[in-house]
Amino acid sequence: MKKILLQLDSDGQPSVFDAVAALDGGAEVLLRHGGVTVEAVSGLVHGVIFTRGPEDLHGSAIFIGGSDVARGEALLEATRKAFFGPLQVSVLFDANGCNTTAAAAVAKMAASLGGLEGKRVTVLGGTGPVGLRGAALLALDGAQVRLTSRRADRATEAVARLKARFGVDVEAAVVSDDDERDRALGGTQAVLAAGAAGVTLLRQSLWQSLPELRVLADVNAVPPLGIEGVKSHWDGRDVEGKILFGALAIGGLKMKIHKAAVARLFESNDAVLDAEELFALAKERLGL
Amino acid sequence: MKKILLQLDSDGQPSVFDAVAALDGGAEVLLRHGGVTVEAVSGLVHGVIFTRGPEDLHGSAIFIGGSDVARGEALLEATRKAFFGPLQVSVLFDANGCNTTAAAAVAKMAASLGGLEGKRVTVLGGTGPVGLRGAALLALDGAQVRLTSRRADRATEAVARLKARFGVDVEAAVVSDDDERDRALGGTQAVLAAGAAGVTLLRQSLWQSLPELRVLADVNAVPPLGIEGVKSHWDGRDVEGKILFGALAIGGLKMKIHKAAVARLFESNDAVLDAEELFALAKERLGL
Amino acid sequence: MKKILLQLDSDGQPSVFDAVAALDGGAEVLLRHGGVTVEAVSGLVHGVIFTRGPEDLHGSAIFIGGSDVARGEALLEATRKAFFGPLQVSVLFDANGCNTTAAAAVAKMAASLGGLEGKRVTVLGGTGPVGLRGAALLALDGAQVRLTSRRADRATEAVARLKARFGVDVEAAVVSDDDERDRALGGTQAVLAAGAAGVTLLRQSLWQSLPELRVLADVNAVPPLGIEGVKSHWDGRDVEGKILFGALAIGGLKMKIHKAAVARLFESNDAVLDAEELFALAKERLGL
């Protein structure tokens, strides 16, 4: 009875990254599907839940990915609807790596800050996949989260989505120039830079001048990085009293979480591993 | 030398059901292809028959599936044409599960009836994938088969296809209302309900009133079931002297046949497992 | 840590031939992608190079194939561009089997001729995938190569491509009728027939009349063969003092080279196995 993972991906070519991580996480056979639409989900999922007896269903599982998080969320919803009572399998949701990356970054920040309860944290570029999930995880653990965006409509939508999906209240700040962004950082104790690859969101002169800022994390690995002056491989480097995490260091923990999550899929047939569950895994890894 | 199964599927997303059944049946590696056209077959098949020496070809095999049985039959024909004398591999044909499902249902009916020779059997909804194959298997074992359809053209076409493909003579009855259907069941000793999912084809008051009727089988697992009053999990339940089989019970045998057929593929390089061969496997399983 | 091979294929259905050869060559899991465009390459390649640590990257590799050699070459170039310094994996390039087939045919010719240095060799149908690679390998080992084509523009382009890619000087002969082809063979010591399947390029009466001709190889396995009178399975058959190789005999060595090349992929993370490297493998096999 091999461990079979059904990979549902909304992109035309299913992710190779997710496939390798799945194999290294313990999946023995991958059934990979690209270009998956919501309409196709039930047939594919039924193929998994109707082929093995209930006592063997923990040997089958589903991974949902793809670069488009909203489409991935729709596939996840369709997957859950396709289950028949006890005839279900465990599911890991990590479209665009949003969950594992956010979980890794926020767990490292939490460890450095000595917990998130009551901390003031700013998420720069907070309306993208990792920014949204990062803001949610920070808020779920009690931080006061402010997210920034250049566009008011996207900021408003982000706040609404976070409320609807995670039940958290997050503040949005529209920042159309450097001065506004500087002001948005006033009083912040930690920064998560989650913007587009190759865009600098925070100048070194600024972060060095913020007296209360203690922890900075950047998930962008493509130069120029999101936080000026950080190095990708820095894994908690102390620079004049501030702790910095680069994208490669966060990525290392992300891979461990990803593989551990795949392994966990095959321990039962009813786990749904989404942002919260992956964050718990990340904290476990760091002894939090 | 791994056991490699080439999965040719006419649907855009190749069947996950068939993939899991193949893996559990003993295939070690699947090469899965969706959206397969007749034109693409020879190139794909040549990739299987020209890569291993004749003495190793039993380690490679082909499964042909997809929801459209006619397109699957065309792929099967193209596959056989692509073989080069002794350079061939074994093939399992089970588009839409038609062969394995029909084999399982008919084998269970045969066991309950004490053989099919001379028995009068009606196939309700007999022009669909399972109905056609079921009618063929019943007739091949000597039953007098009548199949019903709401449309005269489909009934005529079904009879012709059964004669052409299996060499059997089957009677068609066009039933446009309940009364006609009731009359079509006069004198029948067994019923196979093979209609569309969620459509009731036989009312309980009727089947209970037919004195000669002894065995009923229903392959529809989606409520309302094809035979009113049957339960999906009934596996030969006696109800007032009549023996009833539901879709889940038939499906259990179907899965065993499917997996046994996959295992058989790798015993030689020249087996073609179509309706007749899968029916033989089903009867073996039941000790017939 | 399984040996993972990413198969990038420009055809809609990725090659089954290449998949089976890869599995028999030692790849443990295949990640197969058809219809791959140049634009899609970096995402797929990053999925391979960013998922395992540098010390484990020899466990991942890439195969580039597909029936269109020019498109395959573009995928190879895009793959190399997607690498990040030490973050790379080994690559095998064999679009349309051009490299392995040419390497096998030319190695057999070299063995029969006692080396290629200074030999006069004619490649018939030399502008196709195998013809071009065969001409290149012959020239790289010192042969004086003439290739024939029916069209002047294709012959000119072939010569230019061979100069650009391999740095070799090859002579082209445009042959629009049998007489011209006969003349192009004057003084030749060996012939490689690499034309389209099912087209005779060399009549038996001619090759038997050429006094200096010693070795003939034909890569066409579909009758009528490229060299009249040869048999596909001849593996160095002596016919009146001339040594003949048929397509099946060349194909046998080709498969061995293909599998050995796959095995070699997993010995390091920086090999690029293209025409020259596969030719070296072929000569190794023959003790040259």
Side-chain angles (χ1 to χ4, degrees):
Chain A
M1 179 78 57
K2 282 180 183 160
K3 293 176 187 163
I4 297 174
L5 186 67
L6 173 61
Q7 181 183 6
L8 302 181
D9 198 303
S10 60
D11 294 344
Q13 299 284 6
S15 165
V16 168
F17 188 103
D18 294 333
V20 177
L23 291 164
D24 286 346
E28 292 174 299
V29 180
L30 302 181
L31 303 178
R32 307 174 70 218
H33 291 259
V36 177
T37 60
V38 165
E39 293 71 33
V41 166
S42 70
L44 297 169
V45 170
H46 289 172
V48 165
I49 63 176
F50 291 146
T51 33
R52 290 174 162 180
E55 72 286 1
D56 291 325
L57 277 179
H58 65 279
S60 305
I62 296 174
F63 175 90
I64 297 173
S67 58
D68 186 322
V69 175
R71 291 171 70 185
E73 287 172 335
L75 296 183
L76 174 60
E77 190 190 343
T79 295
R80 299 176 83 152
K81 280 187 185 164
F83 290 155
F84 268 70
L87 297 182
Q88 61 176 273
V89 297
S90 291
V91 182
L92 169 56
F93 176 67
D94 197 31
N96 206 11
C98 66
N99 278 332
T100 48
T101 303
V106 175
K108 282 183 179 286
M109 293 170 74
S112 288
L113 288 164
L116 293 167
E117 186 66 42
K119 299 296 192 305
R120 295 180 299 280
V121 185
T122 305
V123 181
L124 299 174
T127 60
V130 175
L132 280 172
R133 300 277 159 162
L137 298 178
L138 289 161
L140 283 170
D141 263 23
Q144 299 172 38
V145 181
R146 171 181 293 172
L147 64 81
T148 72
S149 175
R150 280 166 300 178
R151 288 175 43 186
D153 55 342
R154 296 196 62 185
T156 306
E157 187 203 343
V159 168
R161 283 178 67 181
L162 289 169
K163 183 68 177 177
R165 165 66 181 81
F166 294 96
V168 295
D169 292 300
V170 165
E171 182 190 351
V174 180
V175 294
S176 52
D177 57 29
D178 280 358
D179 284 350
E180 286 183 351
R181 190 182 295 131
D182 293 359
R183 278 196 298 275
L185 288 162
T188 199
Q189 296 169 288
V191 166
L192 170 61
V199 177
T200 303
L201 296 172
L202 184 54
R203 288 165 299 152
Q204 186 162 2
S205 57
L206 177 58
W207 62 258
Q208 287 186 325
S209 72
L210 294 168
E212 297 178 76
L213 181 58
R214 287 168 50 201
V215 175
L216 300 94
D218 185 357
V219 300
N220 172 15
V222 180
L225 304 189
I227 296 176
E228 188 186 27
V230 73
K231 302 287 181 197
S232 292
H233 64 276
W234 282 359
D235 192 15
R237 170 73 63 103
D238 187 323
V239 177
E240 299 173 22
K242 305 190 190 307
I243 306 298
L244 289 108
F245 296 94
L248 289 186
I250 294 167
L253 178 57
K254 170 211 152 58
M255 282 307 297
K256 290 193 182 85
I257 300 167
H258 193 142
K259 292 176 189 175
V262 171
R264 192 152 296 189
L265 287 175
F266 298 105
E267 292 174 6
S268 71
N269 77 318
D270 59 359
V272 176
L273 305 182
D274 201 339
E276 300 89 334
E277 295 80 9
L278 292 165
F279 188 39
L281 264 178
K283 289 193 286 190
E284 245 175 61
R285 285 257 151 199
L286 298 186
L288 300 181
Chain B
M1 179 79 57
K2 283 180 181 159
K3 293 176 187 165
I4 298 175
L5 186 67
L6 172 63
Q7 181 183 6
L8 302 181
D9 198 305
S10 59
D11 294 346
Q13 299 283 7
S15 165
V16 168
F17 188 103
D18 293 333
V20 177
L23 291 165
D24 286 346
E28 292 174 299
V29 180
L30 302 181
L31 303 178
R32 305 174 71 219
H33 292 259
V36 178
T37 60
V38 165
E39 292 71 33
V41 166
S42 69
L44 297 169
V45 171
H46 289 171
V48 166
I49 63 175
F50 291 147
T51 33
R52 289 175 162 179
E55 71 287 1
D56 291 324
L57 278 178
H58 65 278
S60 305
I62 296 174
F63 176 89
I64 297 173
S67 59
D68 185 322
V69 176
R71 289 172 70 186
E73 288 172 335
L75 296 183
L76 174 59
E77 190 190 342
T79 296
R80 298 176 83 153
K81 279 187 185 163
F83 290 156
F84 267 71
L87 296 182
Q88 60 176 274
V89 297
S90 290
V91 183
L92 170 55
F93 176 67
D94 198 31
N96 207 13
C98 65
N99 278 331
T100 47
T101 304
V106 174
K108 282 182 178 289
M109 295 171 74
S112 288
L113 288 163
L116 294 167
E117 185 67 40
K119 300 296 194 305
R120 294 179 300 279
V121 186
T122 305
V123 181
L124 300 173
T127 61
V130 175
L132 279 172
R133 300 279 160 162
L137 299 178
L138 289 160
L140 284 169
D141 262 23
Q144 299 173 37
V145 182
R146 171 181 291 171
L147 65 81
T148 73
S149 174
R150 283 167 297 178
R151 288 175 44 186
D153 56 342
R154 295 197 62 186
T156 306
E157 188 203 343
V159 167
R161 283 179 67 180
L162 289 169
K163 184 69 177 177
R165 164 68 180 80
F166 295 96
V168 296
D169 293 299
V170 164
E171 183 190 351
V174 179
V175 295
S176 52
D177 58 29
D178 281 359
D179 285 350
E180 288 184 349
R181 191 183 294 133
D182 293 0
R183 277 198 298 276
L185 287 161
T188 200
Q189 295 169 290
V191 165
L192 170 60
V199 176
T200 303
L201 295 173
L202 184 55
R203 290 164 298 152
Q204 184 160 7
S205 58
L206 177 57
W207 62 259
Q208 288 187 324
S209 73
L210 294 168
E212 298 177 78
L213 181 57
R214 289 168 50 201
V215 175
L216 300 93
D218 185 356
V219 300
N220 173 15
V222 181
L225 303 189
I227 296 174
E228 189 186 28
V230 74
K231 302 285 183 200
S232 291
H233 64 278
W234 282 359
D235 192 17
R237 170 72 63 103
D238 187 324
V239 176
E240 300 175 21
K242 303 191 191 307
I243 307 299
L244 289 107
F245 297 95
L248 288 186
I250 294 167
L253 179 56
K254 171 213 151 61
M255 282 307 296
K256 290 193 181 87
I257 299 167
H258 193 142
K259 292 174 188 174
V262 171
R264 191 151 300 188
L265 286 176
F266 298 104
E267 293 173 5
S268 71
N269 77 318
D270 59 359
V272 177
L273 306 182
D274 200 340
E276 299 90 332
E277 295 80 9
L278 292 165
F279 187 38
L281 264 179
K283 289 195 287 191
E284 247 175 59
R285 284 257 151 199
L286 299 185
L288 301 180
Chain C
M1 179 77 58
K2 282 180 181 158
K3 292 176 190 167
I4 298 175
L5 186 67
L6 172 62
Q7 181 183 6
L8 302 180
D9 198 306
S10 60
D11 294 346
Q13 300 284 4
S15 165
V16 168
F17 188 103
D18 293 334
V20 177
L23 292 163
D24 287 347
E28 291 174 299
V29 180
L30 302 181
L31 304 178
R32 305 173 71 218
H33 292 259
V36 178
T37 59
V38 165
E39 292 70 33
V41 166
S42 70
L44 298 169
V45 170
H46 289 173
V48 166
I49 63 174
F50 291 146
T51 35
R52 289 176 161 178
E55 71 288 2
D56 291 324
L57 277 179
H58 65 279
S60 305
I62 298 174
F63 176 89
I64 297 173
S67 59
D68 186 321
V69 176
R71 290 172 69 186
E73 288 172 334
L75 297 182
L76 174 60
E77 190 190 342
T79 295
R80 298 176 83 154
K81 280 187 186 164
F83 290 155
F84 268 70
L87 296 182
Q88 61 176 275
V89 297
S90 291
V91 183
L92 169 55
F93 176 67
D94 199 31
N96 205 13
C98 65
N99 278 332
T100 48
T101 303
V106 174
K108 282 182 179 289
M109 294 170 74
S112 288
L113 288 164
L116 293 166
E117 185 65 40
K119 299 295 192 311
R120 294 179 299 278
V121 186
T122 305
V123 181
L124 299 174
T127 61
V130 176
L132 280 173
R133 299 278 160 163
L137 299 178
L138 288 161
L140 283 169
D141 263 23
Q144 299 173 37
V145 182
R146 172 181 290 172
L147 65 79
T148 72
S149 175
R150 280 167 299 178
R151 287 174 45 186
D153 57 341
R154 296 197 61 186
T156 305
E157 187 203 344
V159 167
R161 284 179 66 181
L162 289 170
K163 182 69 177 178
R165 165 66 181 82
F166 295 96
V168 295
D169 292 299
V170 164
E171 182 191 352
V174 180
V175 294
S176 53
D177 58 29
D178 281 359
D179 284 349
E180 287 183 351
R181 191 183 295 132
D182 293 1
R183 276 197 298 275
L185 288 161
T188 200
Q189 294 169 290
V191 166
L192 170 61
V199 176
T200 303
L201 296 172
L202 184 54
R203 289 164 298 152
Q204 186 162 5
S205 57
L206 177 59
W207 61 259
Q208 288 186 323
S209 74
L210 293 169
E212 297 178 76
L213 181 58
R214 288 167 51 200
V215 176
L216 300 94
D218 186 356
V219 300
N220 172 16
V222 180
L225 303 189
I227 297 175
E228 189 186 27
V230 74
K231 301 285 182 199
S232 292
H233 64 276
W234 283 358
D235 192 16
R237 170 73 64 102
D238 188 323
V239 176
E240 300 177 19
K242 300 187 194 311
I243 306 298
L244 289 108
F245 296 94
L248 289 186
I250 294 168
L253 178 57
K254 171 211 150 58
M255 283 306 296
K256 291 194 182 84
I257 300 167
H258 193 143
K259 293 176 189 174
V262 171
R264 192 152 297 188
L265 287 175
F266 298 104
E267 293 174 6
S268 71
N269 77 319
D270 59 359
V272 177
L273 306 181
D274 199 339
E276 299 90 333
E277 294 80 8
L278 293 165
F279 187 39
L281 265 178
K283 289 194 285 189
E284 245 175 59
R285 284 258 151 199
L286 299 186
L288 300 181

